[in-house]
Amino acid sequence: MFQAAAQTVFVSSAAASVYRSVFLVGCRRYCKKTPTKLRISEALSGAELGADVKVQGWVRSVRPQKNNVFLHVNDGSSLQSLQIVGQAKLNDPLLTFGSAVEVTGILKKSPHQKQPVELEAEQIRVVGECNPVDFPFKIKDRHSLEYTRQLPHLRCRTNAFSSLLRIRSEAAAAIHSYFKNNGFLQIHTPIITSNDCEGAGELFKVEPSGPDFSDDEEFFSVPAFLTVSGQLHLEVMSGAFSRVYTFGPTFRAENSQSRRHLAEFFMVEAEISFTESLDDLTKVMEDMFRSATEHVMARCVEDVDLFHRHVTPGHRVKIYLPHRCKWNSLYKASLQLLSAATDWGCDLMTEHEKHLVKHCGNLPVFVTDYPYDLKPFYARDNQDHPRHTAAAVDLLVPGVGELCGGSLREERLNLLMARAGLEDTYSWYLDLRRFGSVPHGGFGLGFERYLQCILGVDNIKDVIPFPRFSHSCML
């Protein structure tokens, strides 16, 4: 009996020793430092050099050799990809161009001058397969914008379009930063509205669908449309804040598939109170353009260079002081383009705008004092008969034509009320003039046109993530 008890004690001691060993092994595994997760741009900067790291992204190239396998992996954070070097045993048949991977290993300084660092892989895991035969983009082909435009759901995988999206993101951030640094308050203006700010009638009507709604019933009690501009709502806010802006989508129901037209695009709009001079507006336009462009050129050097070298070769954006040109001078320059005489009051076509820019030395140009009848009801009347003009201004730029359009707003109630129909349709707008109205003005900038201007892209559909236009397929 005593012997059996002793054996039991002995077995218990051995088991405790085993348990202790298992615990220590588990503790070591638990305490082992978890690989630092890095974006590709962070890895390329040399962050965590010599450390155990993890990167995730999509394979841009695969080069298997006898003893090693070389990959280039990109996660969208940088134009440049990170080179992965692994032993041949890490090669996987599913490791193909376009596949998604997760790689862990040691980040080391690269022996090659063309790349600062490389990742020595310890593990390569294929997260998402990609059949390179069926994949519409090929590893060695340089695909045109016309081709990638047909694949809106996949074109973000290409170098050119991923560069465009990084540039677009930085440009938007730069515009917000400019307004914030200059005392503007951001206003989220509505997308659904009853206003036709531009007065052109190119509106998308918004109607509910479903069994609970009848065809002859208005959801909002009045007809509602997708906004063509946030300007009128900004004017509401300019009665309480001296500087306001908005940045959001706008919509035009233009039945066109041209390279200049989109049904949905983004507008930057600003309104300034206590101003009676177009110079105040043009200064903000000019400063914003310069500030945003300098930011993009500084933060997106490789991406902009890709466009200027391979997508729009020869294009270089130049930040000039815009030239000022009144309507009379504008017509004098434009008539050189026309074979027939143009009557006073006819609007300019895009070709005329580009011709004027070229006439002024291919520099941006401000055109002011447009014929009054060409401008919407809110543009301020210069009362300069017989050449009746409005205090309006457009900024024309090379390659695009009109980039910004703005005006002083008509703050004089009696002149606004002389406009037919405003009392019924825009009574609230007249109230703004009745209660503490001040001289004010504002402008709008087409964000996609801005991107076209700095990158030299000809087709507006190539500078927006998901282009919407007449008869286009929708994602």
Side-chain angles (χ1 to χ4, degrees), residues 3-42:
Q3 187 177 8
Q7 187 176 6
T8 302
V9 172
F10 174 77
V11 171
S12 299
S13 299
S17 178
V18 171
Y19 293 151
R20 190 182 306 110
S21 299
V22 171
F23 174 78
L24 290 174
V25 170
C27 186
R28 289 192 194 100
R29 286 180 180 175
Y30 180 80
C31 296
K32 184 180 178 181
K33 188 176 180 181
T34 303
T36 303
K37 185 176 177 180
L38 296 179
R39 291 180 295 135
I40 296 297
S41 59
E42 294 172 329

Side-chain angles (χ1 to χ4, degrees), residues 34-105:
T34 303
T36 303
K37 185 176 177 180
L38 296 179
R39 291 180 295 135
I40 296 297
S41 59
E42 294 172 329
L44 290 171
S45 71
E48 302 294 331
L49 195 64
D52 192 17
V53 303
K54 176 195 294 183
V55 297
Q56 297 162 321
W58 293 266
V59 176
R60 291 295 177 87
S61 71
V62 184
R63 186 161 50 94
Q65 294 185 350
K66 182 178 180 181
N67 298 320
N68 297 298
V69 58
F70 294 87
L71 310 177
H72 280 95
V73 175
N74 193 287
D75 65 354
S77 63
S78 167
L79 175 62
Q80 190 177 352
S81 298
L82 176 65
Q83 176 165 284
I84 311 294
V85 183
Q87 296 181 3
K89 65 181 182 180
L90 295 178
N91 194 12
D92 187 320
L94 299 178
L95 206 55
T96 61
F97 172 61
S99 61
V101 296
E102 180 179 271
V103 184
T104 56

Side-chain angles (χ1 to χ4, degrees), residues 200-440:
E202 299 164 336
L203 304 172
F204 286 105
K205 190 172 184 180
V206 177
E207 295 180 338
S209 63
D212 295 335
F213 305 100
S214 62
D215 294 337
D216 57 352
E217 180 184 3
E218 296 287 356
F219 183 84
F220 294 102
S221 76
V222 295
F225 310 94
L226 295 180
T227 183
V228 297
S229 171
Q231 180 213 310
L232 297 184
H233 294 94
L234 284 184
E235 285 199 62
V236 171
M237 296 300 173
S238 69
F241 303 95
S242 60
R243 290 189 161 203
V244 292
Y245 83 101
T246 189
F247 189 165
T250 54
F251 306 85
R252 304 281 170 85
E254 293 179 306
N255 190 16
S256 173
Q257 300 180 49
S258 79
R259 58 184 178 79
R260 284 182 53 82
H261 291 99
L262 287 170
E264 179 184 10
F265 52 95
F266 281 72
M267 286 283 288
V268 180
E269 298 178 88
E271 206 72 22
I272 305 169
S273 299
F274 301 100
T275 180
E276 299 181 69
S277 171
L278 286 177
D279 290 341
D280 292 338
L281 300 184
T282 58
K283 185 179 188 306
V284 175
M285 291 183 197
E286 187 179 319
D287 289 348
M288 180 184 66
F289 180 90
R290 180 183 291 105
S291 175
T293 305
E294 288 176 346
H295 177 93
V296 169
M297 296 301 159
R299 296 292 296 271
C300 302
V301 176
E302 290 184 333
D303 293 317
V304 172
D305 188 61
L306 172 74
F307 268 83
H308 291 172
R309 283 178 178 270
H310 303 297
V311 182
T312 56
H315 180 81
R316 289 292 183 273
V317 64
K318 299 177 181 179
I319 308 172
Y320 292 117
L321 291 175
H323 179 70
R324 184 175 294 278
C325 183
K326 289 202 173 186
W327 181 263
N328 291 333
S329 301
L330 170 73
Y331 254 53
K332 183 179 179 181
S334 299
L335 286 174
Q336 299 175 18
L337 185 67
L338 303 176
S339 58
T342 302
D343 295 330
W344 169 264
C346 292
D347 206 352
L348 292 179
M349 305 299 289
T350 302
E351 292 75 13
H352 306 154
E353 295 171 346
K354 291 181 179 180
H355 178 76
L356 178 63
V357 172
K358 187 176 181 181
H359 176 79
C360 294
N362 249 0
L363 303 177
V365 55
F366 282 124
V367 180
T368 65
D369 303 298
Y370 278 77
Y372 182 74
D373 291 337
L374 289 180
K375 293 301 172 180
F377 68 89
Y378 49 75
R380 197 176 198 276
D381 189 346
N382 281 332
Q383 296 185 304
D384 53 351
H385 301 283
R387 291 294 197 190
H388 193 191
T389 63
V393 57
D394 285 347
L395 174 59
L396 312 182
V397 295
V400 174
E402 181 188 344
L403 176 64
C404 296
S407 73
L408 298 180
R409 313 310 190 193
E410 186 57 81
E411 85 283 2
R412 295 163 291 187
L413 180 60
N414 62 317
L415 294 183
L416 272 178
M417 292 188 68
R419 292 263 186 164
L422 286 186
E423 188 66 58
D424 297 329
T425 310
Y426 291 100
S427 59
W428 63 267
Y429 189 77
L430 297 177
D431 278 350
L432 300 179
R433 272 57 177 176
R434 292 188 178 102
F435 309 117
S437 178
V438 300
H440 62 286

